[in-house]
Amino acid sequence: MSKIIVMTSGKGGVGKTTSSAAFATGLALRGFKTVVIDFDVGLRNLDLVMGCERRVVFDFINVINGEAKLNQALIKDKRVENLYILPTSQTRDKDALTKDGVDRILKELVKEFDYVICDSPAGIEKGALMALYFADHAIIVTNPEVSSVRDSDRILGVLNAKSRRAEQGMEPVTQQLLLTRYDPERVEKGEMLKVDDVLEILSINLLGVIPESQAVLRASNIGMPVILDEKSNAGQAYLDAVGRFLGEDVEHRFVKPEKKGLFNRLLRRSA
Amino acid sequence: MSIFNFFRSSAKTPATQAKERLQIVMAHERVGRSGPDYLPMLQQELLAVIAKYVDIDQNKVEVKLDRGGDCSTLEVNIELPQPDQERKPDGKPANAESKPPLKQAAAGGAALTKGGIKRR
Ligand SMILES: Nc1ncnc2c1ncn2[C@@H]1O[C@H](COP(=O)(O)OP(=O)(O)OP(=O)(O)O)[C@@H](O)[C@H]1O
Ligand SMILES: [Mg+2]
């Protein structure tokens, strides 16, 4: 079973943190003991998206440096059973992450948790490398846009060459695409790359399509993973993706434009 | 259908252009990265062999790896110089001192395409 999952993208701002928070919460909702780790050293944000920013005392780097115990740094989510957050440091730089240090902490976490989700920083440098190095499975977060697709291809190359599994000649890191901020109406008009095109270009399996949604901003404003907003299309799309990740056969939704009847338009305005 | 739609239907949509541009740029970037380890070596050695016989310009070499569903194609594109520039038996290009400017050479050169090194 895959234990360590990295959310990675190469390009910044495509939805890794949003997706890490949603995915970790989704797995915990299914009863799996799950921890989500912020690897974006210096730019702590996962705590805000998860709504636990005021409960951070110790962080990932403190634990690596032996300044705190793992249990002191882990924050237990107040809404969802089985869900924990390991925040990162806001003051240090990415050099504070060492391969040995990360290895040590992950080994401890894997013993206790069913899933460890690593929220990667942008880029293909040290921080991103550390986040993906120990992964068993990678979720490539991509927007239907040229630079994001190209950067995803680069990060796939890094996974295939520089991850621990690649270096040690083990089974390769399994990879799935999470296409986020998808706008079916713009796709219909030929303004945006469609799912199938992105899949073909990257030759990768599809985990899910998350539509562009106002619910994401709404959720992050109040510090709630969007997957808990079960009425929103983005929340539902993440729930579906978690199901697929667990091997369920879930049909893809939100890839076609909504029907534009008068009734629908009225509904949308009130939503 | 309005006249505008008539014109537009034959043009490529921005999404289609995006796809095509990505496929081209990424095919280049993938060579020697996602390919097997021997690809860069293979490329170098192939070039070395050809350079023994003809004077090739390293900038006029194009190597492309197309990743397909179950088979990938390595395409090596080498532009050969004009015939009178080929090496004489003594091993030196006939007119090594007075090479024509690059553009001209490109126009007169023949293109040699070697397709089809397939790998699973
Ligand atoms: N499906 C979506 N619909 C609308 N907005 C979204 C969606 N997904 C993400 N966003 C917005 O995009 C922005 C970036 O998201 P997020 O922080 O998750 O990206 P990131 O990849 O973690 O960024 P970074 O590379 O800086 O870590 C946020 O403002 C978020 O609200
Ligand atoms: Mg982030």
Side-chain angles (χ1 to χ4, degrees), chain A residues 1-260:
Chain A
M1 188 169 78
S2 291
K3 285 224 152 194
I4 303 180
I5 305 167
V6 63
M7 285 285 173
T8 187
S9 68
K11 187 164 160 50
V14 296
K16 294 178 292 297
T17 301
T18 305
S19 300
S20 297
F23 226 76
T25 307
L27 287 170
L29 285 172
R30 295 295 197 100
F32 295 101
K33 194 169 176 193
T34 305
V35 58
V36 54
I37 310 179
D38 192 345
F39 271 81
D40 205 345
V41 183
L43 291 173
R44 177 160 93 201
N45 274 326
L46 181 68
D47 57 337
L48 270 179
V49 174
M50 294 291 298
C52 64
E53 68 280 3
R54 294 175 60 187
R55 296 166 64 204
V56 177
V57 183
F58 294 111
D59 60 54
F60 191 23
I61 307 299
N62 290 138
V63 183
I64 287 178
N65 292 342
E67 296 151 6
K69 294 231 176 66
L70 188 52
N71 284 337
Q72 293 176 294
L74 283 173
I75 301 173
K76 189 178 184 323
D77 190 83
K78 285 193 165 156
R79 296 156 297 214
V80 181
E81 192 70 13
N82 296 317
L83 179 59
Y84 292 78
I85 300 108
L86 184 54
T88 194
S89 166
Q90 217 170 8
T91 52
R92 312 208 208 181
D93 61 44
K94 55 194 179 308
D95 291 333
L97 288 179
T98 61
K99 219 177 243 181
D100 286 347
V102 175
D103 190 22
R104 226 173 47 239
I105 312 302
L106 287 179
K107 278 201 177 112
E108 240 181 287
L109 288 172
V110 161
K111 271 189 258 163
E112 231 184 290
F113 287 88
D114 296 313
Y115 289 107
V116 179
I117 312 278
C118 304
D119 178 18
S120 173
I124 52 172
E125 302 300 318
K126 178 120 186 238
L129 271 177
M130 283 297 149
L132 69 77
Y133 187 77
F134 296 98
D136 302 306
H137 183 76
I139 296 178
I140 313 297
V141 184
T142 306
N143 292 164
E145 174 266 319
V146 284
S147 42
S148 175
V149 173
R150 181 201 217 170
D151 291 356
S152 294
D153 193 60
R154 295 204 61 190
I155 209 78
L156 284 167
V158 173
L159 274 164
N160 291 336
K162 297 200 181 148
S163 62
R164 179 183 62 121
R165 283 176 171 271
E167 279 187 2
Q168 299 181 358
M170 304 158 68
E171 284 282 299
V173 181
T174 47
Q175 301 157 351
Q176 285 176 305
L177 180 82
L178 191 62
L179 193 61
T180 61
R181 310 201 68 163
Y182 196 70
D183 187 336
E185 285 175 18
R186 301 197 69 184
V187 170
E188 194 90 333
K189 286 188 208 147
E191 294 175 1
M192 186 181 264
L193 283 165
K194 54 172 182 278
V195 195
D196 292 341
D197 289 344
V198 179
L199 293 179
E200 185 191 330
I201 294 168
L202 293 174
S203 35
I204 189 173
N205 287 328
L206 182 63
L207 176 62
V209 177
I210 313 295
E212 171 78 25
S213 164
Q214 301 187 355
V216 173
L217 179 63
R218 215 156 50 215
S220 72
N221 278 338
I222 61 171
M224 178 185 86
V226 71
I227 199 170
L228 292 176
D229 181 358
E230 289 170 23
K231 287 209 187 76
S232 69
N233 51 2
Q236 289 172 23
Y238 276 117
L239 284 169
D240 286 0
V242 170
R244 270 180 224 114
F245 173 81
L246 295 171
E248 294 162 15
D249 189 13
V250 189
E251 210 188 318
H252 289 279
R253 298 189 277 168
F254 317 111
V255 287
K256 295 253 159 62
E258 287 171 47
K259 297 229 166 51
K260 275 224 199 106

Side-chain angles (χ1 to χ4, degrees), chain B residues 16-120:
Chain B
T16 307
Q17 294 184 43
K19 182 184 180 187
E20 290 177 3
R21 290 175 59 222
L22 275 170
Q23 280 173 322
I24 291 167
V25 71
M26 280 163 46
H28 282 267
E29 290 172 351
R30 276 171 184 163
V31 172
R33 170 156 54 78
S34 60
D37 291 348
Y38 61 75
L39 257 187
M41 283 285 280
L42 174 71
Q43 177 183 342
Q44 268 179 22
E45 286 178 31
L46 262 176
L47 290 183
V49 170
I50 296 164
K52 261 167 71 178
Y53 299 94
V54 280
D55 194 24
I56 52 176
D57 179 348
Q58 292 284 336
N59 298 320
K60 299 275 175 62
V61 175
E62 212 183 308
V63 181
K64 196 168 124 189
L65 180 71
D66 274 327
R67 270 207 299 209
D70 40 32
C71 113
S72 302
T73 315
L74 176 71
E75 196 180 302
V76 184
N77 230 301
I78 301 168
E79 205 175 287
L80 298 180
Q82 285 168 313
D84 65 344
Q85 258 182 276
E86 275 170 31
R87 282 167 194 247
K88 288 268 172 84
D90 66 355
K92 287 202 175 114
N95 52 351
E97 277 84 27
S98 60
K99 272 192 186 169
L102 284 182
K103 261 189 198 142
Q104 211 178 312
L112 167 79
T113 307
K114 288 205 186 299
I117 293 179
K118 305 217 164 159
R119 66 180 180 88
R120 235 247 47 143

